[in-house]
Amino acid sequence: MSYLSDFHEAINNPEKYWQKQAKKIHWFTFPETILSKDKQGHYHWFEGGKLNTCYLALDQHVLNGRGDQPALIYDSPVTNNKRSFTYNDLLEKVSLFSGVLADLGIEKGDRVVIYMPMVPEAVIAMLASARLGAIHSVVFGGFAANELAIRIDDAKPKVIVSSTCGIEFTTVIPYKPLLDAAIATAKHKPDHTIILKRPQEDCTLIAGRDHDWKDCMSQASPHDVIPVASTDPLYILYTSGTTGKPKGIVRDNGGHAVSLNFSMEAIYDVSPGDVYWAASDVGWVVGHSYIVYAPLIRGCTTILFEGKPVRTPDPGAFWRVIEEYNVKTFFTAPTAFRAIKKEDPDGKFIEQYNLLGLESVFLAGERLDPPTYEWLAGLLDCPVIDHWWQTETGWPICSNMLGTELKEIKMGSATVPVPGFDVQILNKNGQKVRSAETGSIVIKLPLPPGCLPTLWNDNERYQTSYLSTFPGYYLTGDGGYKDKDGYVFVMGRTDDVINVAGHRLSTGEMEELIGGHEAVAECAVVGIADELKGQVPAGFVVLKDGYRLGNEDLAPELIMIIRSNIGAVANFKQVAIVKRLPKTRSGKILRKSIRTLADRGQTAIPSTIDDPSILDEIKDVLQDQQIGMAFIK
Ligand code: COA
Ligand code: AMP
């Protein structure tokens, strides 16, 4: 593959390019059309095609003689447990669990919510749902009951698959009370739940509704694959938008399989039989694409790691796993390496392991900051590659591609657009900017296969969120620039989305929750820089008349509102009670000025500001409470 010729072919003749890629996967019926447009002007890939994603991930490999190869290795330092599943084993378990779901009434198109920790049964449930042509929606285990309830009401699952607990370092987090609370809150009630009982935590099952995973499996018969249309949804994955209602990103079957298979060849350069490890969580898009679907569709061995980069048991955890399973390609978020670097700055742990088999390390979820890149590249003998993508795209938009000639690495850049992504930088008026000038990062339509065709039950929001701002372009929500060589530098979000320790969260949602407190007149939540987690949220709250300024009890109360509604994962720990918020003359809160003050200690005074003296008041509060990198002593 040559980068430039592939890139140009994919842009100039997308149908021919993606037809070629589509031929590399197994279809029950090859698509009649490669790219089509519906009445609303939305693009669809591979219409008329019939396939099954679970068949691609499992059955085809068993039929092709790969049955005895490890498909999934489960390594759980938090439970001292390791298990390996061959393709034969995984197919057997998935077929059986498909039988369980079918016995509970799941048919093609029905939704199955999966709220599970990093255990093999989570992967089995995803694949079993895909096998039946059902639509799974995995909810990250770190979300609180309220977030789960919101997703239940939107996806309306017939069945929810869950577990009795997750384990965070040494803390057992009971899931069943959260699940029960979510079902009690949600308007939609699932017909059934299936609960995996873990030795660390038991639970009470509600007769008639809750079923024990083990009992179900012992009574079920295996179920065969159900062919689905290329354009049928495989899953819904909710991600943070700018409001309290998360966006249900829809992934289709055909475009997803073709794009992931392509990415394994072109971006990661992995072949069947290679060991591929994405240290993420099945609740995030990286987990969907690169723990579960892409490695299995490609015939690789994938690793499911129920641990952390540090303290499980030490900062050598990643290196231990890489050596133990001879990992060829490793993928994680920069924040994970910052956590390791903090505990092992000189890389003493890495020296204890043989990493000769490791050929590349990929990072995503947030920008790979230059200090972390330099530290990592100095310790490793292989390329360290920053690549940029989103839940919406499902696979990388920009990357240094190992399947082509490796490009020079420029720190702070995710390198160049992957074939299929026509990345442009536009100014406010929708005009292309000159190189090195910052603007909105957009992608010219059509998006390549694998990217979201719509939002679940909300075509209108899909249109307004992504397609209306600049007609003919998909709005990524990120800002940045391209340099003279076409390298893309993604500098951060232009909306209310923040990235906290590689987790995407909405400050708008946090503002809605805090604004609901009886004492709060108005508030702003901004993502401020954090050395370890990249960003963390900080709240700035104006009280209603009659509530005492400096009320000591209020901050913990507001912190608890976010923790119990969104989850601990929000990392909402800093609240400042302020007299006023800086605003424009038209009344818009100047969140960016607050953020810049917290990060840098000073900010330019916007020409639109109503009263510049408010910025001094905010600065004093930041200083007093030591909020923000500029004020931490
Ligand atoms: N279930 C329940 N709680 C969870 C959770 C889960 N799956 N994940 C995180 N939490 C909790 C944590 O226990 C913590 O709770 P606490 O406030 O009571 O201590 C809180 O949410 C914040 O978690 P986090 O921000 O992850 O901080 P941490 O100190 O626990 O771990 C890192 C820090 C850097 C080690 C961790 O964030 C990490 O590994 N990040 C990488 C993320 C990633 O892989 N993202 C995917 C993109 S590639
Ligand atoms: P998510 O949907 O959770 O994958 O988060 C997507 C967002 O994370 C993007 O819109 C970016 O803001 C950010 N992001 C992901 N990868 C990168 C990267 N390599 N460089 C810069 N930002 C990134």
Side-chain angles (χ1 to χ4, degrees):
M1 233 182 120
S2 139
Y3 172 70
L4 267 187
S5 66
D6 272 63
F7 181 76
H8 288 302
E9 191 188 339
I11 299 298
N12 297 331
N13 199 344
E15 295 190 77
K16 186 169 160 223
Y17 190 78
W18 290 108
Q19 182 180 46
K20 219 169 25 186
Q21 304 309 331
K23 284 186 179 156
K24 295 181 185 169
I25 67 160
H26 184 276
W27 298 85
F28 299 134
T29 310
F30 195 75
E32 286 156 19
T33 54
I34 300 300
L35 180 62
S36 46
K37 223 177 184 185
D38 64 22
K39 280 189 226 123
Q40 289 158 300
H42 298 159
Y43 291 94
H44 300 280
W45 287 98
F46 310 124
E47 265 182 324
K50 286 245 150 67
L51 76 171
N52 182 285
T53 300
C54 176
Y55 179 91
L56 296 177
L58 300 177
D59 302 59
Q60 68 162 346
H61 301 307
V62 170
L63 292 170
N64 293 339
R66 207 167 273 287
D68 292 330
Q69 179 198 306
L72 178 82
I73 293 172
Y74 167 61
D75 186 299
S76 171
V78 296
T79 59
N80 278 322
N81 200 356
K82 293 175 189 175
R83 273 154 77 194
S84 177
F85 299 80
T86 62
Y87 273 98
N88 282 330
D89 296 336
L90 202 55
L91 177 58
E92 191 190 309
K93 295 216 163 4
V94 167
S95 306
L96 214 51
F97 196 65
S98 298
V100 171
L101 291 175
D103 287 346
L104 293 180
I106 292 293
E107 292 173 3
K108 181 171 171 288
D110 288 338
R111 272 81 59 211
V112 177
V113 160
I114 300 170
Y115 181 60
M116 295 196 95
M118 287 283 286
V119 289
E121 288 78 0
V123 179
I124 291 168
M126 289 166 79
L127 291 164
S129 163
R131 190 170 189 81
L132 296 177
I135 303 166
H136 62 67
S137 186
V138 182
V139 179
F140 175 59
F143 279 131
N146 179 55
E147 287 289 320
L148 179 57
I150 292 171
R151 287 154 174 79
I152 292 172
D153 273 336
D154 199 65
K156 300 194 172 37
K158 263 192 191 166
V159 171
I160 301 182
V161 186
S162 190
S163 164
T164 48
C165 66
I167 298 148
E168 283 291 293
F169 297 103
T170 51
T171 312
V172 172
I173 315 261
Y175 276 29
K176 185 62 170 35
L178 298 175
L179 175 66
D180 288 342
I183 295 175
T185 316
K187 286 192 198 76
H188 171 85
K189 310 289 177 197
D191 298 341
H192 302 280
T193 80
I194 304 169
I195 309 293
L196 175 76
K197 288 194 173 178
R198 302 188 78 185
Q200 294 78 10
E201 179 78 16
D202 200 3
C203 74
T204 311
L205 299 177
I206 297 175
R209 187 196 77 178
D210 300 339
H211 310 271
D212 181 301
W213 174 290
K214 237 183 171 172
D215 294 347
C216 290
M217 287 291 262
S218 66
Q219 289 154 24
S221 330
H223 203 292
D224 208 351
V225 293
I226 304 287
V228 298
S230 170
T231 47
D232 282 338
L234 167 67
Y235 68 76
I236 309 164
L237 179 57
Y238 289 89
T239 191
S240 299
T242 51
T243 66
K245 189 172 185 288
K247 292 167 168 171
I249 306 297
V250 173
R251 192 82 58 216
D252 67 8
N253 276 273
H256 175 250
V258 172
S259 61
L260 290 190
N261 186 54
F262 170 73
S263 73
M264 292 306 263
E265 181 186 351
I267 299 176
Y268 302 101
D269 190 27
V270 287
S271 305
D274 287 342
V275 182
Y276 184 101
W277 179 26
S280 176
D281 189 289
V282 288
W284 304 112
V285 67
V286 175
H288 280 61
S289 294
Y290 293 106
I291 295 176
V292 184
Y293 288 111
L296 295 179
I297 288 173
R298 190 79 179 148
C300 297
T301 299
T302 187
I303 293 176
L304 187 76
F305 178 65
E306 192 184 23
K308 299 277 177 178
V310 291
R311 295 188 282 136
T312 55
D314 58 42
F318 279 1
W319 315 127
R320 191 266 301 165
V321 172
I322 291 171
E323 180 194 271
E324 191 165 334
Y325 305 111
N326 198 26
V327 171
K328 176 178 169 183
T329 310
F330 179 51
F331 178 171
T332 192
T335 188
F337 280 120
R338 287 198 297 271
I340 296 174
K341 183 179 159 201
K342 196 165 169 225
E343 296 198 6
D344 181 26
D346 301 324
K348 294 243 171 350
F349 280 87
I350 200 169
E351 288 164 14
Q352 299 169 22
Y353 298 95
N354 174 353
L355 304 184
L356 282 177
L358 183 66
E359 292 188 12
S360 56
V361 173
F362 282 83
L363 284 307
E366 52 173 324
R367 181 166 172 262
L368 174 56
D369 52 293
T372 305
Y373 170 79
E374 280 178 320
W375 178 78
L376 198 52
L379 290 175
L380 293 172
D381 262 340
C382 65
V384 173
I385 295 175
D386 182 12
H387 63 337
W388 166 57
W389 51 300
Q390 316 184 302
T391 307
E392 286 86 344
T393 62
W395 63 292
I397 307 165
C398 282
S399 186
N400 212 338
M401 298 171 59
L402 288 185
T404 69
E405 58 286 357
L406 191 69
K407 288 188 172 288
E408 177 205 346
I409 287 174
K410 293 194 192 183
M411 270 193 291
S413 169
T415 319
V416 290
V418 167
F421 290 99
D422 188 355
V423 176
Q424 310 278 347
I425 316 287
L426 302 184
N427 66 17
K428 274 195 205 123
N429 305 322
Q431 293 150 333
K432 284 186 197 166
V433 301
R434 279 190 296 249
S435 68
E437 217 175 289
T438 302
S440 272
I441 312 184
V442 297
I443 303 166
K444 193 163 184 290
L445 298 175
L447 293 169
C451 301
L452 80 169
T454 188
L455 293 177
W456 181 250
N457 278 341
D458 209 344
N459 225 359
E460 198 181 316
R461 192 176 180 197
Y462 169 63
Q463 179 71 34
T464 52
S465 303
Y466 301 108
L467 306 177
S468 297
T469 311
F470 300 114
Y473 296 92
Y474 162 83
L475 184 74
T476 65
D478 281 311
Y481 64 94
K482 267 196 212 176
D483 74 3
K484 62 177 181 6
D485 302 319
Y487 277 57
V488 178
F489 288 75
V490 182
M491 303 310 289
R493 299 286 305 192
T494 54
D495 55 13
D496 297 339
V497 168
I498 57 172
N499 260 291
V500 181
H503 308 138
R504 177 165 158 180
L505 299 162
S506 162
T507 52
E509 178 177 10
M510 294 183 209
E511 286 181 2
E512 281 176 27
L513 287 165
I514 290 173
H517 189 284
E518 55 170 10
V520 175
E522 60 177 347
C523 70
V525 175
V526 297
I528 61 174
D530 181 83
E531 210 171 330
L532 175 65
K533 301 193 175 179
Q535 279 184 306
V536 287
F540 296 83
V541 176
V542 178
L543 299 181
K544 282 183 189 157
D545 288 347
Y547 285 89
R548 192 164 58 87
L549 195 63
N551 183 336
E552 291 82 12
D553 302 333
L554 191 62
E557 226 178 280
L558 298 177
I559 288 168
M560 199 35 88
I561 286 178
I562 300 295
R563 200 177 165 91
S564 54
N565 279 278
I566 298 180
V569 72
N571 276 286
F572 185 77
K573 293 181 177 159
Q574 305 182 82
V575 177
I577 310 292
V578 295
K579 280 192 227 142
R580 303 176 292 173
L581 290 168
K583 289 186 184 166
T584 61
R585 281 183 281 278
S586 60
K588 219 172 145 220
I589 298 173
L590 289 160
R591 293 178 179 79
K592 194 172 165 202
S593 303
I594 303 177
R595 193 177 69 217
T596 313
L597 264 180
D599 293 351
R600 301 198 200 135
Q602 53 193 16
T603 180
I605 296 175
S607 58
T608 52
I609 197 165
D610 183 32
D611 179 355
S613 69
I614 301 179
L615 290 177
D616 293 326
E617 292 172 17
I618 299 278
K619 189 172 169 180
D620 289 344
V621 172
L622 291 170
Q623 208 143 22
D624 278 358
Q625 297 198 21
Q626 292 188 36
I627 295 176
M629 299 268 273
F631 300 103
I632 297 169
K633 288 191 184 124

